Amino acid sequence: MTAELMALRMTAKIKSPAEPAVYEGQFGPFTIDASDRQEVIQYRAGLAIAASSFALGTAGILWRGDVDWVVQGISALYTVFWLALGYSLLKIHIYLRPLHRLLQAFWLIGGVASLAIAHFSPEPFAQTVFDYPATIWGIGFTFAALTGIYFKEAFCFNRIETKVMTPLVPLLLLGHLFQFLSPEWEALLLAIWAANFVLFALRKSVQPCPDDIGDKSVFAYLEQQRQQPTTSAS
């Protein structure tokens, strides 16, 4: 994937960032225009907001997780995190549409579960998740969607921080769910996660936009393949 992106950059016509650029893709030439770049900016903005909210919430837990207003603030930050993640999942470019839809479905299931937990529990949302590990069966879907983004970024761009977070997130969630991690280990892994998430968002902000757009000729080819059975049947 990295070699493919390098080849695409080399075959692009030299133009200003605001102008359309023509690339030679795997299935023919394609154009990246201002709307494509805008989608990438929106995807990265969602990640930046999600990472910032997550880092602030983590800092609150590690700093004064026993104070009521801090716990209430963490619950609010989770809402911002969830919404920003959903926006990124709306704008992300993934070749396989079923995988894209699956990550969005995970995000939605996690959100519905979070809403139910927040509505039916008399305690603040963050406190409920901490006191009742079984809640991970619901909200864990949100983080499964996030882990999907980490995996995609690790596979496509070989980023060390996403390689760290891809196994770390399931480990932490399962550790809390089945109680095989001590509170000290949970705090350490949470801090590592937050630091790498912020690093990931920062590095994405300076990455060339065409990287996240990918080879649009592949999208066009896959769309053509999806429509072929319908065309043949008619």
Side-chain angles (χ1 to χ4, degrees):
M1 180 66 74
T2 303
E4 176 188 341
L5 291 170
M6 290 177 64
L8 290 178
R9 292 180 198 167
M10 292 176 66
T11 55
K13 295 180 179 178
I14 306 300
K15 294 186 178 184
S16 71
E19 295 180 3
V22 178
Y23 293 78
E24 188 60 40
Q26 183 177 351
F27 297 99
F30 64 92
T31 302
I32 290 179
D33 55 25
S35 64
D36 294 317
R37 297 186 182 93
Q38 188 64 30
E39 280 197 345
V40 171
I41 292 171
Q42 292 167 341
Y43 162 63
R44 295 176 181 179
L47 286 178
I49 294 171
S52 300
S53 303
F54 188 83
L56 286 172
T58 298
I61 291 174
L62 299 180
W63 173 54
R64 295 296 298 274
D66 56 341
V67 178
D68 287 344
W69 69 267
V70 173
V71 175
Q72 294 283 2
I74 293 169
S75 301
L77 285 168
Y78 175 82
T79 302
V80 176
F81 157 81
W82 182 79
L83 291 172
L85 175 62
Y87 190 68
S88 288
L89 284 169
L90 182 65
K91 299 298 181 179
I92 192 173
H93 286 232
I94 298 178
Y95 291 138
L96 299 177
R97 180 182 290 182
L99 176 59
H100 191 181
R101 295 291 180 261
L102 179 64
L103 295 182
Q104 290 175 324
F106 280 178
W107 169 82
L108 183 59
I109 293 169
V112 171
S114 301
L115 184 62
I117 292 168
H119 178 73
F120 291 108
S121 174
E123 298 178 336
F125 174 78
Q127 188 66 50
T128 303
V129 173
F130 179 79
D131 291 340
Y132 301 96
T135 55
I136 298 296
W137 287 114
I139 69 167
F141 281 95
T142 295
F143 297 104
L146 178 60
T147 304
I149 293 180
Y150 294 157
F151 178 80
K152 179 257 185 188
E153 294 281 344
F155 179 80
C156 291
F157 305 118
N158 199 29
R159 294 205 179 278
I160 183 64
E161 63 272 18
T162 52
K163 287 184 175 181
V164 169
M165 291 187 290
T166 298
L168 184 150
V169 175
L171 173 62
L172 177 56
L173 294 179
L174 292 173
H176 184 65
L177 175 61
F178 295 111
Q179 298 289 281
F180 62 76
L181 291 175
S182 67
E184 292 77 17
W185 270 104
E186 287 189 0
L188 176 61
L189 293 177
L190 191 61
I192 294 173
W193 179 3
N196 278 277
F197 197 177
V198 170
L199 175 61
F200 166 52
L202 287 173
R203 293 185 69 190
K204 289 300 293 182
S205 67
V206 297
Q207 187 175 356
C209 281
D211 289 1
D212 278 332
I213 297 168
D215 185 345
K216 289 175 66 177
S217 73
V218 175
F219 287 103
Y221 173 77
L222 292 175
E223 182 62 28
Q224 184 182 25
Q225 292 300 304
R226 279 191 292 267
Q227 293 178 357
Q228 233 175 16
T230 304
T231 306
S232 301
S234 58

